Amino acid sequence: MATQRFLPKRLITACMLGTAMMAGNANAATTIDLGYNGAPDPEKNAVHVFATNLKELVEEKTDDQIQLELYPNSSLGEEEERMEQTMSTPMLNVASFAGVSPLVEEIFVSAIPFLFDDFDAARTFFDEGEYWQEVSKALKERAGIDMLAVVEEGGFLAFTNNETPISHPDDFEGLRFRAMDPSQVALYEAFGASGTPIPWTETYMALRTEVADGQMNPPMYIIMESLHEVQDYLTLANIQYSNQFLVGNSDMIAGWDDELRDVFQEAVAEANQNAREHNENQVDERITYLEEQGMEVIRPSEEELTAFRDIGQPAYLEWLEERDIEQRWIDMALEDAGMSDLLD
């Protein structure tokens, strides 16, 4: 079981000590670490914009009872390391699928290709859907981590590569792609390419040295890591919604009194809404910037997008079944997304 791999004895001990400390200091001013990926650059990193806004709002609304210490650039560790820390110590973390999925593999269901037509559909799915409530419940029960917010990264995922313009699944044949996690490997293989999991911090060099031909991320991340320097083609297939997850140690949050917990959650909700507005307004500007930097932007036709959907969706659903993810999770997600026709 994935959770067991995350619970060596030293972490169990640390968790018990952390809980005792939190209980004894529930009313005292507390500094909490917040780790996340990417540079502390508000022009390039939407997660950093979210984190700095969250810090300001939390400290303001709690009258400095809670103060956040920001750790960008994966300085607290890569994805799984930060999740281990979040399980065992009083901290916050902005995690990607690579961080959450070893604990709650069912999160992969939310990455079914073309699950959302637009931002509003994705936000409704995560804010109101039964499936996401169950994912959050599972994360808390299995790992002692609260799911606090779904943080947008600035648009939908786009493909980049350095070999050929991609406008149709057939164009993937023989290419090698950096993958964030096993779900992306499955998607690339469905299109005829290969995928290799490579940490985000190593992606630029992997592309530069041609270990991989391409990768998949929203325009924000392409700019943030200067991938346009080593990638020629940008394909706006909008195949998946680009998001990460603000999570926190459950014992830490439970140790606060009701008033402190409420104002903290108000700060999270406000920071998340601000981030959504900021990100949506930046999408077109970021694409234009990448064009100006010399990338060729490919906008697939409706017919070509249908080809991506017709191959990607069934292949991905088959992959979910191969992972032994219970059908009820898939059913809930498709119902919440208004796509129950895929169950027929």
Side-chain angles (χ1 to χ4, degrees), residues 277-290:
E277 294 174 2
H278 173 80
N279 289 331
E280 189 168 357
N281 291 335
Q282 295 292 317
V283 171
D284 290 341
E285 182 178 321
R286 288 173 178 144
I287 294 170
T288 298
Y289 173 82
L290 291 171

Side-chain angles (χ1 to χ4, degrees), residues 150-195:
V150 175
V151 182
E152 290 181 359
E153 300 178 288
F156 285 73
L157 297 183
F159 298 113
T160 71
N161 85 100
N162 202 40
E163 294 294 324
T164 185
I166 293 175
S167 60
H168 187 278
D170 291 347
D171 299 327
F172 276 88
E173 187 66 35
L175 296 179
R176 300 163 299 168
F177 278 78
R178 174 264 176 179
M180 176 179 65
D181 55 48
S183 73
Q184 289 192 350
V185 174
L187 199 58
Y188 292 133
E189 289 178 349
F191 295 146
S194 61

Side-chain angles (χ1 to χ4, degrees), residues 12 47 54 66-67 80 101 160 177 185 231 265 286 295:
I12 295 174
V47 175
L54 179 63
I66 299 175
Q67 299 178 358
E80 292 193 13
S101 59
T160 71
F177 278 78
V185 174
Q231 300 278 270
Q265 291 172 339
R286 288 173 178 144
M295 294 195 80

Side-chain angles (χ1 to χ4, degrees), residues 205-245:
M205 188 57 64
L207 296 170
R208 181 178 179 180
T209 59
E210 299 182 354
V211 171
D213 300 313
Q215 60 87 53
M216 176 168 57
N217 260 303
M220 182 205 79
Y221 269 91
I222 298 165
I223 295 170
M224 180 174 68
E225 199 65 12
S226 300
L227 299 187
H228 52 275
E229 295 177 355
V230 291
Q231 300 278 270
D232 289 338
Y233 306 103
L234 173 70
T235 300
L236 302 177
N238 295 342
I239 194 165
Q240 291 170 322
Y241 175 69
S242 175
N243 57 333
Q244 292 194 41
F245 313 99

Side-chain angles (χ1 to χ4, degrees), residues 109 111-117 125 239 306 308-318 320-321 327 330-344:
V109 176
I112 293 172
F114 299 102
L115 193 61
F116 313 116
D117 289 334
F125 177 89
I239 194 165
T306 298
F308 278 113
R309 184 182 298 109
D310 288 348
I311 293 173
Q313 278 184 345
Y316 196 92
L317 289 170
E318 182 179 347
L320 291 174
E321 293 176 5
Q327 185 63 38
I330 299 169
D331 293 349
M332 279 190 294
L334 293 177
E335 288 283 351
D336 289 345
M339 299 180 66
S340 55
D341 55 301
L342 287 180
L343 298 172
D344 297 338

Side-chain angles (χ1 to χ4, degrees), residues 256-271:
W256 300 334
D257 62 41
D258 291 344
E259 182 179 358
L260 186 61
R261 191 182 309 112
D262 287 346
V263 294
F264 171 79
Q265 291 172 339
E266 287 175 11
V268 169
E270 185 173 338

